[in-house]
Amino acid sequence: MAVIQGLEWTFNTEAEKYEKLRPGYVPELYKDIFNYTAINQSSNVVEVGIGGGQATLPILKTGCNLTAVEYGTELAEICRNKFKEYPNFSAITAKFEDFKWEDNTCDLIYSASAFHWIPEEVGYKKVLALLKSGGVFARFANHPFKDKGREEIHNAIQKVYSVYMPGTFSDNEYSENAAKERAYIASQYGFVDISFKLYHRTRTFTSKEYTSLLGTYSDHIAIEESIRAKFFSEIETAIDNLGGIITIYDTIDLQLARKP
């Protein structure tokens, strides 16, 4: 699975919008993590790519010592302020590849919609080295899909994309096979006790809410500003012409693996 290259900088330019608009994760996901590994006040946890802190609070509330590693300076500062009431929280501004930490000291390392930015071999080998024996790596991500209940609105938006970002849409919803394939990457690097699970939800947006969300995606942020404004205006018009509401179907995947 290839790493995404060259757009890591984009999220930091929209840090406040990213923090407000990117979704969190379902409670069942955290329950499954905690059923897989016990996390408490004695646990050392590292979050890889905290972003706007969408996946942080449920882990922090266990009382663990949580260190977040975040490449974006603005995002890291937002999270330092967001979680300032938690003395067990700290954020280090760095790429995970450059992150300095003692090996064999972490009980849990997790990454929410961020690990794909790290070269696979570098990321998995580093996670394995940092974890204690029996320590756990949790990787999860959200995969939004089209409004399945209204094909006409999908077609209208796809027509706009064909002009500004051709080839963006996939006809395939994120699948169990894709989650399984991602989960078993860990076994190639020495992890054991591999498991995975999918969760589903929907989110509904007005036209402006939807384009605000699109404005937090790296490939959309990278579009020149005046072109992006026209692009988003046409998307809003397409949605407004069809009732003003769009529903996104999310699939969240969780992969869990243990260091022997």
Side-chain angles (χ1 to χ4, degrees):
M1 189 172 295
V3 64
I4 295 176
Q5 296 281 4
L7 294 178
E8 298 94 332
W9 57 271
T10 55
F11 301 116
N12 202 53
T13 66
E14 297 286 356
E16 291 187 8
K17 185 185 290 186
Y18 188 100
E19 189 274 331
K20 290 177 181 177
L21 295 175
R22 282 299 185 98
Y25 299 87
V26 295
E28 293 80 9
L29 178 146
Y30 298 102
K31 290 179 183 177
D32 287 332
I33 292 174
F34 299 144
N35 285 336
Y36 186 91
T37 184
I39 300 299
N40 53 44
Q41 292 180 351
S42 66
S43 303
N44 293 317
V45 177
V46 169
E47 180 176 2
V48 180
I50 191 172
Q54 285 82 0
T56 306
L57 193 57
I59 308 293
L60 263 183
K61 285 183 173 180
T62 66
C64 69
N65 299 302
L66 196 160
T67 301
V69 184
E70 173 54 52
Y71 180 46
T73 55
E74 294 297 326
L75 286 166
E77 189 57 33
I78 283 173
C79 289
R80 290 186 188 105
N81 185 63
K82 185 175 183 176
F83 302 117
K84 63 185 177 183
E85 296 180 4
Y86 290 86
N88 53 322
F89 174 79
S90 62
I92 294 174
T93 304
K95 286 188 174 183
F96 183 64
E97 300 93 306
D98 303 324
F99 173 57
K100 305 298 182 185
W101 205 256
E102 187 177 350
D103 287 352
N104 303 302
T105 57
C106 296
D107 298 281
L108 170 67
I109 297 175
Y110 75 100
S111 186
S113 299
F115 207 68
H116 57 285
W117 293 102
I118 302 167
E120 179 186 298
E121 184 174 359
V122 173
Y124 279 94
K125 285 185 175 180
K126 186 157 193 169
V127 169
L128 189 70
L130 294 178
L131 286 171
K132 299 175 181 177
S133 177
V136 168
F137 179 43
R139 174 178 179 172
F140 48 101
N142 186 55
H143 306 274
F145 193 61
K146 66 182 181 180
D147 191 333
K148 295 189 292 185
R150 300 167 65 210
E151 194 68 25
E152 71 279 6
I153 201 165
H154 169 70
N155 291 338
I157 292 174
Q158 192 172 36
K159 186 175 181 180
V160 179
Y161 269 87
S162 69
V163 175
Y164 293 94
M165 295 181 69
T168 299
F169 277 100
S170 171
D171 290 331
N172 299 316
E173 192 169 9
Y174 192 83
S175 68
E176 185 171 342
N177 283 339
K180 181 178 181 179
E181 180 181 340
R182 179 170 289 181
Y184 279 90
I185 293 172
S187 66
Q188 301 171 29
Y189 296 95
F191 288 89
V192 297
D193 197 15
I194 309 294
S195 69
F196 66 94
K197 190 171 180 180
L198 298 182
Y199 314 85
H200 300 279
R201 68 177 174 200
T202 59
R203 292 176 290 150
T204 299
F205 303 92
T206 66
S207 60
K208 287 191 177 297
E209 288 170 344
Y210 184 64
T211 54
S212 292
L213 175 66
L214 293 180
T216 69
Y217 293 150
S218 58
D219 50 356
H220 292 64
I221 297 170
I223 298 172
E224 194 276 323
E225 186 174 357
S226 63
I227 296 174
R228 185 170 69 243
K230 190 171 186 296
F231 176 26
F232 285 4
S233 176
E234 291 183 24
I235 291 176
E236 288 180 14
T237 298
I239 295 171
D240 287 338
N241 286 343
L242 291 166
I245 295 293
I246 183 170
T247 298
I248 301 303
Y249 287 73
D250 288 334
T251 300
I252 301 168
D253 63 327
L254 167 66
Q255 290 84 29
L256 294 164
R258 195 180 307 276
K259 180 175 178 176

